[in-house]
Amino acid sequence: TDNLTDVQLIAELAGLRARSGSVHAEWRQSELSSIHFNGERMLFSDGNQRSIVAGEWDQRVFTAPRFQIGITPELWASANSKDQNRIYFNPSQDFSFGSSATANWVTWRHYDRSLLQRFTVFGAPYWEENYGTHGAFSGDYTQLWKVSRRLGLIGKFAWHGQPYDGIRQPYTDLSFGLTWGDQ
């Protein structure tokens, strides 16, 4: 099937498509610790083939009745078969190994209704072939309002400072949405 969410908008507007397949595996020791592995292969309509491998270890390090802190060391690498001269970001090879920390705070709860606030920070060295190593940083703040057992409202503000071709290109993201189902 076509995977539109993984193709950058500039490539999509130029008529490029991608077909992809992925494998996800998780080993969960308990609600406090788990390891995740992801592998993906994307075949672009311009002949480029992208391979991605990623892994992370989620570990809760502090637990209180309404407050938890977790750390997540993670690594990520990708390789592309075509040169970097593409309309979309296409490094020959890149790699990142860093960690994030997340704090979850149940600010208010009354039966099935609640307000959860989440703060996450991430930092990692990011290496891109022909451009060396630079720092990648991000932070986000999320609110999840559970209106009922199944219905929720979510709002998220995020800032990212990711280098592309050796130049830091920070951006912010603001998103809102609805959640439905048992959470």
Side-chain angles (χ1 to χ4, degrees):
T1 62
D2 289 334
N3 190 344
L4 300 178
T5 59
D6 288 343
V7 178
Q8 290 101 340
L9 180 59
I10 193 168
E12 191 66 32
L13 293 173
L16 290 170
R17 311 275 297 171
R19 300 180 80 64
S20 69
S22 60
V23 173
H24 304 280
E26 175 183 356
W27 175 78
R28 181 170 292 281
Q29 178 183 7
S30 67
E31 70 175 27
L32 303 176
S33 184
S34 62
I35 296 173
H36 308 264
F37 170 78
N38 301 309
E40 184 174 9
R41 180 84 165 168
M42 295 180 70
L43 308 173
F44 289 86
S45 59
D46 66 355
N48 185 36
Q49 297 178 25
R50 178 176 294 164
S51 299
I52 301 169
V53 294
E56 63 183 36
W57 170 33
D58 289 327
Q59 181 66 53
R60 190 174 317 157
V61 294
F62 178 80
T63 301
R66 293 180 174 254
F67 189 75
Q68 297 89 34
I69 297 175
I71 57 170
T72 306
E74 53 193 75
L75 71 94
W76 179 87
S78 78
N80 289 282
S81 65
K82 296 291 184 178
D83 62 21
Q84 291 179 296
N85 191 20
R86 306 279 124 198
I87 193 169
Y88 51 90
F89 181 64
N90 189 57
S92 249
Q93 296 178 356
D94 59 352
F95 175 82
S96 178
F97 179 67
S99 187
S100 63
T102 301
N104 289 303
W105 177 30
V106 179
T107 311
W108 172 81
R109 173 174 282 154
H110 184 72
Y111 296 102
D112 290 334
R113 297 177 298 167
S114 65
L115 168 62
L116 171 76
Q117 297 186 73
R118 177 177 296 134
F119 306 88
T120 302
V121 293
F122 171 80
Y126 171 76
W127 174 82
E128 181 184 346
E129 187 173 26
N130 300 323
Y131 293 95
T133 303
H134 300 276
F137 306 97
S138 68
D140 66 64
Y141 170 70
T142 304
Q143 280 191 357
L144 175 58
W145 287 88
K146 286 195 68 175
V147 178
S148 69
R149 184 172 165 250
R150 294 188 176 270
L151 178 65
L153 305 170
I154 189 168
K156 181 176 182 178
F157 173 79
W159 175 86
H160 304 276
Q162 172 73 36
Y164 295 101
D165 294 340
I167 299 169
R168 180 168 317 286
Q169 297 185 18
Y171 66 93
T172 56
D173 178 42
L174 182 61
S175 56
F176 298 96
L178 294 172
T179 60
W180 180 257
D182 290 329
Q183 301 165 12

